[in-house]
mmCIF file of all heavy atoms in Angstrom:
data_model
loop_
_atom_site.group_PDB
_atom_site.id
_atom_site.type_symbol
_atom_site.label_atom_id
_atom_site.label_comp_id
_atom_site.label_asym_id
_atom_site.label_seq_id
_atom_site.Cartn_x
_atom_site.Cartn_y
_atom_site.Cartn_z
ATOM 1 N N SER A 18 -3.645 6.661 -16.550
ATOM 2 C CA SER A 18 -3.009 6.626 -17.869
ATOM 3 C C SER A 18 -1.543 6.580 -17.853
ATOM 4 O O SER A 18 -0.878 7.233 -16.980
ATOM 5 C CB SER A 18 -3.495 7.912 -18.581
ATOM 6 O OG SER A 18 -4.881 7.914 -18.888
ATOM 7 N N THR A 19 -0.997 5.799 -18.792
ATOM 8 C CA THR A 19 0.465 5.699 -18.915
ATOM 9 C C THR A 19 1.016 6.249 -20.216
ATOM 10 O O THR A 19 2.292 6.146 -20.411
ATOM 11 C CB THR A 19 0.888 4.165 -18.708
ATOM 12 O OG1 THR A 19 0.262 3.439 -19.713
ATOM 13 C CG2 THR A 19 0.579 3.609 -17.411
ATOM 14 N N ASP A 20 0.051 6.797 -21.090
ATOM 15 C CA ASP A 20 0.500 7.438 -22.277
ATOM 16 C C ASP A 20 0.526 8.975 -22.031
ATOM 17 O O ASP A 20 0.850 9.496 -20.969
ATOM 18 C CB ASP A 20 -0.441 7.031 -23.370
ATOM 19 C CG ASP A 20 -1.769 7.578 -23.193
ATOM 20 O OD1 ASP A 20 -2.126 8.045 -22.119
ATOM 21 O OD2 ASP A 20 -2.651 7.233 -24.068
ATOM 22 N N GLY A 21 0.367 9.660 -23.159
ATOM 23 C CA GLY A 21 0.383 11.173 -23.019
ATOM 24 C C GLY A 21 -0.984 11.863 -22.643
ATOM 25 O O GLY A 21 -1.028 13.097 -22.742
ATOM 26 N N THR A 22 -1.920 11.037 -22.141
ATOM 27 C CA THR A 22 -3.102 11.731 -21.689
ATOM 28 C C THR A 22 -3.058 12.799 -20.693
ATOM 29 O O THR A 22 -3.529 13.866 -20.858
ATOM 30 C CB THR A 22 -4.067 10.553 -21.132
ATOM 31 O OG1 THR A 22 -4.380 9.608 -22.108
ATOM 32 C CG2 THR A 22 -5.309 11.125 -20.651
ATOM 33 N N ILE A 23 -2.232 12.561 -19.691
ATOM 34 C CA ILE A 23 -2.162 13.643 -18.571
ATOM 35 C C ILE A 23 -1.525 14.872 -19.152
ATOM 36 O O ILE A 23 -1.914 15.962 -18.850
ATOM 37 C CB ILE A 23 -1.275 13.045 -17.419
ATOM 38 C CG1 ILE A 23 -2.039 11.928 -16.676
ATOM 39 C CG2 ILE A 23 -0.934 14.186 -16.452
ATOM 40 C CD1 ILE A 23 -3.407 12.480 -16.077
ATOM 41 N N SER A 24 -0.441 14.669 -20.025
ATOM 42 C CA SER A 24 0.185 15.899 -20.663
ATOM 43 C C SER A 24 -0.810 16.727 -21.392
ATOM 44 O O SER A 24 -0.829 17.945 -21.423
ATOM 45 C CB SER A 24 1.383 15.501 -21.398
ATOM 46 O OG SER A 24 2.331 14.832 -20.631
ATOM 47 N N ILE A 25 -1.678 16.048 -22.186
ATOM 48 C CA ILE A 25 -2.701 16.676 -22.998
ATOM 49 C C ILE A 25 -3.645 17.419 -22.115
ATOM 50 O O ILE A 25 -3.922 18.650 -22.376
ATOM 51 C CB ILE A 25 -3.298 15.625 -23.936
ATOM 52 C CG1 ILE A 25 -2.429 15.039 -24.898
ATOM 53 C CG2 ILE A 25 -4.593 16.317 -24.618
ATOM 54 C CD1 ILE A 25 -2.935 13.942 -25.686
ATOM 55 N N LEU A 26 -4.048 16.813 -21.084
ATOM 56 C CA LEU A 26 -4.974 17.417 -20.127
ATOM 57 C C LEU A 26 -4.365 18.645 -19.341
ATOM 58 O O LEU A 26 -4.994 19.679 -19.299
ATOM 59 C CB LEU A 26 -5.459 16.424 -19.089
ATOM 60 C CG LEU A 26 -6.368 15.232 -19.569
ATOM 61 C CD1 LEU A 26 -6.583 14.175 -18.497
ATOM 62 C CD2 LEU A 26 -7.733 15.760 -20.041
ATOM 63 N N GLU A 27 -3.132 18.465 -19.016
ATOM 64 C CA GLU A 27 -2.535 19.562 -18.297
ATOM 65 C C GLU A 27 -2.301 20.775 -19.253
ATOM 66 O O GLU A 27 -2.429 21.929 -18.876
ATOM 67 C CB GLU A 27 -1.197 19.114 -17.731
ATOM 68 C CG GLU A 27 -1.424 18.157 -16.430
ATOM 69 C CD GLU A 27 -0.202 17.630 -15.916
ATOM 70 O OE1 GLU A 27 0.850 17.689 -16.658
ATOM 71 O OE2 GLU A 27 -0.184 17.081 -14.763
ATOM 72 N N GLU A 28 -1.925 20.558 -20.524
ATOM 73 C CA GLU A 28 -1.822 21.593 -21.466
ATOM 74 C C GLU A 28 -3.242 22.333 -21.736
ATOM 75 O O GLU A 28 -3.238 23.614 -21.693
ATOM 76 C CB GLU A 28 -1.317 21.086 -22.839
ATOM 77 C CG GLU A 28 -1.047 22.052 -23.824
ATOM 78 C CD GLU A 28 0.058 23.060 -23.377
ATOM 79 O OE1 GLU A 28 0.952 22.712 -22.659
ATOM 80 O OE2 GLU A 28 -0.151 24.229 -23.810
ATOM 81 N N PHE A 29 -4.251 21.538 -21.752
ATOM 82 C CA PHE A 29 -5.584 22.192 -21.915
ATOM 83 C C PHE A 29 -5.922 22.942 -20.692
ATOM 84 O O PHE A 29 -6.522 24.083 -20.772
ATOM 85 C CB PHE A 29 -6.599 21.071 -22.125
ATOM 86 C CG PHE A 29 -7.980 21.574 -22.508
ATOM 87 C CD1 PHE A 29 -8.230 22.189 -23.724
ATOM 88 C CD2 PHE A 29 -9.021 21.418 -21.598
ATOM 89 C CE1 PHE A 29 -9.550 22.650 -24.072
ATOM 90 C CE2 PHE A 29 -10.232 21.920 -21.937
ATOM 91 C CZ PHE A 29 -10.538 22.524 -23.173
ATOM 92 N N SER A 30 -5.633 22.382 -19.445
ATOM 93 C CA SER A 30 -5.865 23.128 -18.193
ATOM 94 C C SER A 30 -5.120 24.481 -18.142
ATOM 95 O O SER A 30 -5.654 25.469 -17.613
ATOM 96 C CB SER A 30 -5.443 22.241 -17.019
ATOM 97 O OG SER A 30 -5.732 22.840 -15.818
ATOM 98 N N LYS A 31 -3.972 24.491 -18.712
ATOM 99 C CA LYS A 31 -3.250 25.880 -18.728
ATOM 100 C C LYS A 31 -3.938 26.901 -19.480
ATOM 101 O O LYS A 31 -3.928 28.155 -19.196
ATOM 102 C CB LYS A 31 -1.814 25.688 -19.351
ATOM 103 C CG LYS A 31 -0.867 24.849 -18.407
ATOM 104 C CD LYS A 31 0.398 24.695 -19.076
ATOM 105 C CE LYS A 31 1.399 23.746 -18.303
ATOM 106 N NZ LYS A 31 2.661 23.446 -19.008
ATOM 107 N N GLN A 32 -4.666 26.478 -20.589
ATOM 108 C CA GLN A 32 -5.452 27.404 -21.423
ATOM 109 C C GLN A 32 -6.701 27.822 -20.811
ATOM 110 O O GLN A 32 -7.194 29.010 -20.907
ATOM 111 C CB GLN A 32 -5.711 26.737 -22.702
ATOM 112 C CG GLN A 32 -4.621 26.350 -23.579
ATOM 113 C CD GLN A 32 -4.961 25.591 -24.781
ATOM 114 O OE1 GLN A 32 -5.783 26.024 -25.588
ATOM 115 N NE2 GLN A 32 -4.448 24.387 -25.078
ATOM 116 N N TYR A 33 -7.260 27.016 -19.861
ATOM 117 C CA TYR A 33 -8.631 27.228 -19.216
ATOM 118 C C TYR A 33 -8.425 26.921 -17.802
ATOM 119 O O TYR A 33 -9.134 26.109 -17.188
ATOM 120 C CB TYR A 33 -9.640 26.471 -19.810
ATOM 121 C CG TYR A 33 -9.772 26.738 -21.284
ATOM 122 C CD1 TYR A 33 -9.185 25.915 -22.267
ATOM 123 C CD2 TYR A 33 -10.604 27.808 -21.759
ATOM 124 C CE1 TYR A 33 -9.355 26.236 -23.538
ATOM 125 C CE2 TYR A 33 -10.730 28.034 -23.079
ATOM 126 C CZ TYR A 33 -10.043 27.288 -24.049
ATOM 127 O OH TYR A 33 -10.291 27.478 -25.458
ATOM 128 N N PRO A 34 -7.567 27.661 -16.963
ATOM 129 C CA PRO A 34 -7.162 27.314 -15.638
ATOM 130 C C PRO A 34 -8.452 27.472 -14.653
ATOM 131 O O PRO A 34 -8.492 26.705 -13.583
ATOM 132 C CB PRO A 34 -6.076 28.281 -15.226
ATOM 133 C CG PRO A 34 -6.277 29.473 -16.170
ATOM 134 C CD PRO A 34 -6.778 28.847 -17.453
ATOM 135 N N GLU A 35 -9.319 28.357 -14.944
ATOM 136 C CA GLU A 35 -10.540 28.532 -14.084
ATOM 137 C C GLU A 35 -11.636 27.550 -14.310
ATOM 138 O O GLU A 35 -12.627 27.486 -13.616
ATOM 139 C CB GLU A 35 -11.038 30.004 -14.202
ATOM 140 C CG GLU A 35 -10.013 30.998 -13.881
ATOM 141 C CD GLU A 35 -9.467 30.921 -12.540
ATOM 142 O OE1 GLU A 35 -10.254 30.691 -11.613
ATOM 143 O OE2 GLU A 35 -8.226 31.130 -12.343
ATOM 144 N N GLN A 36 -11.437 26.783 -15.404
ATOM 145 C CA GLN A 36 -12.589 25.896 -15.787
ATOM 146 C C GLN A 36 -12.262 24.436 -15.838
ATOM 147 O O GLN A 36 -13.199 23.628 -15.964
ATOM 148 C CB GLN A 36 -13.039 26.310 -17.300
ATOM 149 C CG GLN A 36 -13.733 27.691 -17.354
ATOM 150 C CD GLN A 36 -14.024 28.092 -18.798
ATOM 151 O OE1 GLN A 36 -13.214 28.636 -19.404
ATOM 152 N NE2 GLN A 36 -15.164 27.659 -19.244
ATOM 153 N N VAL A 37 -11.036 24.074 -15.670
ATOM 154 C CA VAL A 37 -10.603 22.582 -15.726
ATOM 155 C C VAL A 37 -10.083 22.138 -14.427
ATOM 156 O O VAL A 37 -9.170 22.730 -13.833
ATOM 157 C CB VAL A 37 -9.637 22.483 -16.889
ATOM 158 C CG1 VAL A 37 -9.199 20.966 -16.943
ATOM 159 C CG2 VAL A 37 -10.132 22.923 -18.224
ATOM 160 N N THR A 38 -10.592 21.004 -13.963
ATOM 161 C CA THR A 38 -9.993 20.345 -12.780
ATOM 162 C C THR A 38 -9.655 18.933 -13.275
ATOM 163 O O THR A 38 -10.452 18.144 -13.955
ATOM 164 C CB THR A 38 -11.089 20.225 -11.640
ATOM 165 O OG1 THR A 38 -11.462 21.599 -11.282
ATOM 166 C CG2 THR A 38 -10.590 19.514 -10.472
ATOM 167 N N ILE A 39 -8.494 18.447 -12.926
ATOM 168 C CA ILE A 39 -8.017 17.055 -13.233
ATOM 169 C C ILE A 39 -7.860 16.299 -11.917
ATOM 170 O O ILE A 39 -7.134 16.736 -10.953
ATOM 171 C CB ILE A 39 -6.663 17.138 -14.060
ATOM 172 C CG1 ILE A 39 -6.812 18.030 -15.260
ATOM 173 C CG2 ILE A 39 -6.150 15.752 -14.331
ATOM 174 C CD1 ILE A 39 -5.453 18.318 -15.959
ATOM 175 N N ILE A 40 -8.434 15.190 -11.869
ATOM 176 C CA ILE A 40 -8.432 14.313 -10.694
ATOM 177 C C ILE A 40 -7.603 13.076 -11.185
ATOM 178 O O ILE A 40 -8.083 12.344 -12.109
ATOM 179 C CB ILE A 40 -9.767 14.002 -10.164
ATOM 180 C CG1 ILE A 40 -10.570 15.142 -9.732
ATOM 181 C CG2 ILE A 40 -9.608 12.937 -9.074
ATOM 182 C CD1 ILE A 40 -12.075 14.926 -9.384
ATOM 183 N N LYS A 41 -6.537 12.751 -10.520
ATOM 184 C CA LYS A 41 -5.785 11.460 -10.854
ATOM 185 C C LYS A 41 -6.251 10.367 -9.868
ATOM 186 O O LYS A 41 -5.852 10.425 -8.679
ATOM 187 C CB LYS A 41 -4.366 11.733 -10.806
ATOM 188 C CG LYS A 41 -3.904 12.815 -11.885
ATOM 189 C CD LYS A 41 -2.361 13.198 -11.661
ATOM 190 C CE LYS A 41 -1.929 14.332 -12.592
ATOM 191 N NZ LYS A 41 -0.629 14.705 -12.423
ATOM 192 N N ASN A 42 -7.053 9.475 -10.327
ATOM 193 C CA ASN A 42 -7.540 8.478 -9.304
ATOM 194 C C ASN A 42 -6.436 7.568 -8.927
ATOM 195 O O ASN A 42 -5.798 6.860 -9.585
ATOM 196 C CB ASN A 42 -8.565 7.616 -10.043
ATOM 197 C CG ASN A 42 -9.745 8.363 -10.554
ATOM 198 O OD1 ASN A 42 -10.139 9.429 -9.951
ATOM 199 N ND2 ASN A 42 -10.390 8.060 -11.626
ATOM 200 N N ASP A 43 -6.322 7.508 -7.507
ATOM 201 C CA ASP A 43 -5.236 6.671 -6.905
ATOM 202 C C ASP A 43 -5.755 6.167 -5.574
ATOM 203 O O ASP A 43 -5.919 6.860 -4.640
ATOM 204 C CB ASP A 43 -3.948 7.523 -6.680
ATOM 205 C CG ASP A 43 -2.834 6.748 -6.025
ATOM 206 O OD1 ASP A 43 -2.834 5.466 -6.187
ATOM 207 O OD2 ASP A 43 -1.915 7.280 -5.559
ATOM 208 N N PRO A 44 -6.083 4.859 -5.630
ATOM 209 C CA PRO A 44 -5.999 3.827 -6.775
ATOM 210 C C PRO A 44 -7.062 4.185 -7.721
ATOM 211 O O PRO A 44 -8.003 4.850 -7.573
ATOM 212 C CB PRO A 44 -6.235 2.590 -6.003
ATOM 213 C CG PRO A 44 -7.185 2.908 -4.929
ATOM 214 C CD PRO A 44 -6.736 4.270 -4.462
ATOM 215 N N PRO A 45 -6.787 3.524 -8.954
ATOM 216 C CA PRO A 45 -7.731 3.707 -10.114
ATOM 217 C C PRO A 45 -9.191 3.145 -9.768
ATOM 218 O O PRO A 45 -9.292 2.267 -8.856
ATOM 219 C CB PRO A 45 -7.121 2.851 -11.210
ATOM 220 C CG PRO A 45 -5.654 2.782 -10.793
ATOM 221 C CD PRO A 45 -5.612 2.771 -9.380
ATOM 222 N N GLN A 46 -10.153 3.716 -10.317
ATOM 223 C CA GLN A 46 -11.523 3.240 -10.172
ATOM 224 C C GLN A 46 -11.751 1.931 -10.624
ATOM 225 O O GLN A 46 -12.530 1.159 -10.178
ATOM 226 C CB GLN A 46 -12.475 4.279 -10.714
ATOM 227 C CG GLN A 46 -12.546 5.646 -10.067
ATOM 228 C CD GLN A 46 -13.082 5.620 -8.617
ATOM 229 O OE1 GLN A 46 -13.846 4.781 -8.286
ATOM 230 N NE2 GLN A 46 -12.619 6.519 -7.843
ATOM 231 N N GLY A 47 -11.058 1.630 -11.781
ATOM 232 C CA GLY A 47 -11.062 0.269 -12.383
ATOM 233 C C GLY A 47 -12.016 0.035 -13.499
ATOM 234 O O GLY A 47 -11.911 -0.966 -14.163
ATOM 235 N N SER A 48 -12.970 1.039 -13.703
ATOM 236 C CA SER A 48 -13.915 0.931 -14.836
ATOM 237 C C SER A 48 -14.417 2.262 -15.225
ATOM 238 O O SER A 48 -14.401 3.151 -14.268
ATOM 239 C CB SER A 48 -15.076 0.001 -14.565
ATOM 240 O OG SER A 48 -15.889 0.628 -13.602
ATOM 241 N N ALA A 49 -14.810 2.441 -16.438
ATOM 242 C CA ALA A 49 -15.342 3.778 -16.778
ATOM 243 C C ALA A 49 -16.663 4.044 -15.982
ATOM 244 O O ALA A 49 -16.859 5.195 -15.581
ATOM 245 C CB ALA A 49 -15.705 3.727 -18.329
ATOM 246 N N LYS A 50 -17.426 3.110 -15.656
ATOM 247 C CA LYS A 50 -18.694 3.170 -14.989
ATOM 248 C C LYS A 50 -18.354 3.820 -13.535
ATOM 249 O O LYS A 50 -18.921 4.848 -13.147
ATOM 250 C CB LYS A 50 -19.341 1.930 -14.758
ATOM 251 C CG LYS A 50 -20.526 1.923 -13.767
ATOM 252 C CD LYS A 50 -21.006 0.595 -13.410
ATOM 253 C CE LYS A 50 -22.018 0.680 -12.230
ATOM 254 N NZ LYS A 50 -22.492 -0.722 -11.822
ATOM 255 N N ASP A 51 -17.442 3.227 -12.857
ATOM 256 C CA ASP A 51 -17.089 3.667 -11.537
ATOM 257 C C ASP A 51 -16.373 5.074 -11.553
ATOM 258 O O ASP A 51 -16.523 5.857 -10.632
ATOM 259 C CB ASP A 51 -16.196 2.690 -10.782
ATOM 260 C CG ASP A 51 -16.916 1.412 -10.386
ATOM 261 O OD1 ASP A 51 -18.190 1.537 -10.314
ATOM 262 O OD2 ASP A 51 -16.334 0.384 -10.233
ATOM 263 N N ASN A 52 -15.686 5.306 -12.598
ATOM 264 C CA ASN A 52 -14.991 6.641 -12.788
ATOM 265 C C ASN A 52 -15.966 7.707 -12.923
ATOM 266 O O ASN A 52 -15.887 8.709 -12.286
ATOM 267 C CB ASN A 52 -14.015 6.528 -13.985
ATOM 268 C CG ASN A 52 -13.054 7.625 -14.073
ATOM 269 O OD1 ASN A 52 -13.056 8.548 -13.215
ATOM 270 N ND2 ASN A 52 -12.129 7.613 -14.917
ATOM 271 N N PHE A 53 -17.084 7.436 -13.771
ATOM 272 C CA PHE A 53 -18.064 8.396 -13.977
ATOM 273 C C PHE A 53 -18.872 8.678 -12.682
ATOM 274 O O PHE A 53 -19.215 9.816 -12.322
ATOM 275 C CB PHE A 53 -18.992 8.051 -15.140
ATOM 276 C CG PHE A 53 -18.529 8.415 -16.488
ATOM 277 C CD1 PHE A 53 -18.202 7.472 -17.434
ATOM 278 C CD2 PHE A 53 -18.381 9.783 -16.801
ATOM 279 C CE1 PHE A 53 -17.745 7.855 -18.632
ATOM 280 C CE2 PHE A 53 -17.913 10.121 -18.028
ATOM 281 C CZ PHE A 53 -17.582 9.151 -19.002
ATOM 282 N N ILE A 54 -19.173 7.533 -11.924
ATOM 283 C CA ILE A 54 -19.925 7.738 -10.693
ATOM 284 C C ILE A 54 -19.165 8.545 -9.728
ATOM 285 O O ILE A 54 -19.652 9.381 -8.963
ATOM 286 C CB ILE A 54 -20.223 6.287 -10.163
ATOM 287 C CG1 ILE A 54 -21.334 5.625 -11.048
ATOM 288 C CG2 ILE A 54 -20.797 6.456 -8.691
ATOM 289 C CD1 ILE A 54 -21.701 4.172 -10.569
ATOM 290 N N SER A 55 -17.841 8.256 -9.589
ATOM 291 C CA SER A 55 -16.993 9.058 -8.766
ATOM 292 C C SER A 55 -17.017 10.537 -9.076
ATOM 293 O O SER A 55 -17.063 11.424 -8.240
ATOM 294 C CB SER A 55 -15.603 8.585 -8.750
ATOM 295 O OG SER A 55 -14.725 9.349 -7.873
ATOM 296 N N LEU A 56 -16.928 10.826 -10.430
ATOM 297 C CA LEU A 56 -16.961 12.114 -10.870
ATOM 298 C C LEU A 56 -18.291 12.936 -10.465
ATOM 299 O O LEU A 56 -18.296 14.044 -10.017
ATOM 300 C CB LEU A 56 -16.792 12.230 -12.375
ATOM 301 C CG LEU A 56 -15.371 11.995 -12.945
ATOM 302 C CD1 LEU A 56 -15.435 11.696 -14.426
ATOM 303 C CD2 LEU A 56 -14.471 13.098 -12.512
ATOM 304 N N ILE A 57 -19.325 12.212 -10.676
ATOM 305 C CA ILE A 57 -20.694 12.902 -10.448
ATOM 306 C C ILE A 57 -20.861 13.070 -8.924
ATOM 307 O O ILE A 57 -21.507 14.029 -8.512
ATOM 308 C CB ILE A 57 -21.799 12.042 -11.080
ATOM 309 C CG1 ILE A 57 -23.016 13.037 -11.228
ATOM 310 C CG2 ILE A 57 -22.224 10.872 -10.262
ATOM 311 C CD1 ILE A 57 -24.080 12.551 -12.128
ATOM 312 N N GLN A 58 -20.300 12.261 -8.004
ATOM 313 C CA GLN A 58 -20.328 12.385 -6.639
ATOM 314 C C GLN A 58 -19.567 13.604 -6.233
ATOM 315 O O GLN A 58 -19.906 14.150 -5.147
ATOM 316 C CB GLN A 58 -19.803 11.142 -5.913
ATOM 317 C CG GLN A 58 -20.708 9.900 -6.066
ATOM 318 C CD GLN A 58 -20.006 8.656 -5.454
ATOM 319 O OE1 GLN A 58 -18.770 8.531 -5.506
ATOM 320 N NE2 GLN A 58 -20.845 7.733 -4.946
ATOM 321 N N ASN A 59 -18.478 13.902 -6.936
ATOM 322 C CA ASN A 59 -17.635 15.011 -6.443
ATOM 323 C C ASN A 59 -17.611 16.208 -7.303
ATOM 324 O O ASN A 59 -16.704 17.054 -7.399
ATOM 325 C CB ASN A 59 -16.180 14.477 -6.427
ATOM 326 C CG ASN A 59 -15.925 13.400 -5.497
ATOM 327 O OD1 ASN A 59 -15.900 13.641 -4.273
ATOM 328 N ND2 ASN A 59 -15.928 12.092 -5.856
ATOM 329 N N SER A 60 -18.896 16.437 -7.970
ATOM 330 C CA SER A 60 -19.069 17.620 -8.800
ATOM 331 C C SER A 60 -20.273 18.367 -8.384
ATOM 332 O O SER A 60 -21.128 17.818 -7.767
ATOM 333 C CB SER A 60 -19.208 17.225 -10.231
ATOM 334 O OG SER A 60 -17.935 16.573 -10.618
ATOM 335 N N TYR A 61 -20.480 19.595 -8.971
ATOM 336 C CA TYR A 61 -21.725 20.429 -8.660
ATOM 337 C C TYR A 61 -22.238 20.961 -10.015
ATOM 338 O O TYR A 61 -21.472 21.067 -10.959
ATOM 339 C CB TYR A 61 -21.464 21.446 -7.570
ATOM 340 C CG TYR A 61 -20.414 22.414 -7.995
ATOM 341 C CD1 TYR A 61 -20.746 23.567 -8.601
ATOM 342 C CD2 TYR A 61 -19.029 22.200 -7.664
ATOM 343 C CE1 TYR A 61 -19.819 24.535 -9.012
ATOM 344 C CE2 TYR A 61 -18.135 23.119 -7.982
ATOM 345 C CZ TYR A 61 -18.468 24.259 -8.595
ATOM 346 O OH TYR A 61 -17.490 25.178 -8.853
ATOM 347 N N GLY A 62 -23.513 21.226 -10.037
ATOM 348 C CA GLY A 62 -24.198 21.699 -11.256
ATOM 349 C C GLY A 62 -24.516 23.058 -11.448
ATOM 350 O O GLY A 62 -23.681 23.948 -11.084
ATOM 351 N N PRO A 63 -25.728 23.328 -12.055
ATOM 352 C CA PRO A 63 -26.838 22.556 -11.872
ATOM 353 C C PRO A 63 -27.149 21.529 -13.019
ATOM 354 O O PRO A 63 -28.080 20.726 -12.976
ATOM 355 C CB PRO A 63 -28.011 23.668 -11.998
ATOM 356 C CG PRO A 63 -27.420 24.691 -12.919
ATOM 357 C CD PRO A 63 -25.914 24.752 -12.553
ATOM 358 N N TYR A 64 -26.200 21.529 -14.033
ATOM 359 C CA TYR A 64 -26.410 20.525 -15.147
ATOM 360 C C TYR A 64 -25.086 19.837 -15.275
ATOM 361 O O TYR A 64 -24.058 20.289 -15.047
ATOM 362 C CB TYR A 64 -26.825 21.186 -16.444
ATOM 363 C CG TYR A 64 -28.121 22.000 -16.356
ATOM 364 C CD1 TYR A 64 -28.104 23.399 -16.510
ATOM 365 C CD2 TYR A 64 -29.284 21.227 -16.238
ATOM 366 C CE1 TYR A 64 -29.315 24.026 -16.394
ATOM 367 C CE2 TYR A 64 -30.442 22.028 -16.184
ATOM 368 C CZ TYR A 64 -30.580 23.304 -16.271
ATOM 369 O OH TYR A 64 -31.750 24.046 -16.198
ATOM 370 N N PHE A 65 -25.188 18.402 -15.680
ATOM 371 C CA PHE A 65 -24.070 17.645 -15.730
ATOM 372 C C PHE A 65 -24.127 16.896 -17.171
ATOM 373 O O PHE A 65 -25.161 16.327 -17.533
ATOM 374 C CB PHE A 65 -24.064 16.511 -14.621
ATOM 375 C CG PHE A 65 -24.184 17.131 -13.259
ATOM 376 C CD1 PHE A 65 -25.348 17.487 -12.696
ATOM 377 C CD2 PHE A 65 -22.991 17.441 -12.601
ATOM 378 C CE1 PHE A 65 -25.467 18.095 -11.508
ATOM 379 C CE2 PHE A 65 -23.065 18.044 -11.321
ATOM 380 C CZ PHE A 65 -24.310 18.325 -10.806
#
């Protein structure tokens, strides 16, 4: 993101520091599909 998205996320993370993880994809995944697949590969549940 090149707009204010990261700032909004970081502000929210400050409110819920134990519950929010922000991953900045570098390089970008390139699509919403690949972004979601990467997220599910790197998360744990039991529900998603």
Side-chain angles (χ1 to χ4, degrees):
S18 292
T19 56
D20 62 357
T22 295
I23 293 297
S24 294
I25 294 169
L26 291 170
E27 289 176 343
E28 184 60 33
F29 188 71
S30 179
K31 289 177 183 177
Q32 299 175 53
Y33 302 93
E35 302 301 319
Q36 292 175 270
V37 178
T38 300
I39 302 169
I40 302 169
K41 299 175 184 178
N42 298 330
D43 185 18
Q46 295 293 333
S48 70
K50 170 190 171 182
D51 290 339
N52 198 354
F53 276 116
I54 291 174
S55 177
L56 284 169
I57 202 168
Q58 286 174 332
N59 294 287
S60 300
Y61 59 92
Y64 300 112
F65 305 86

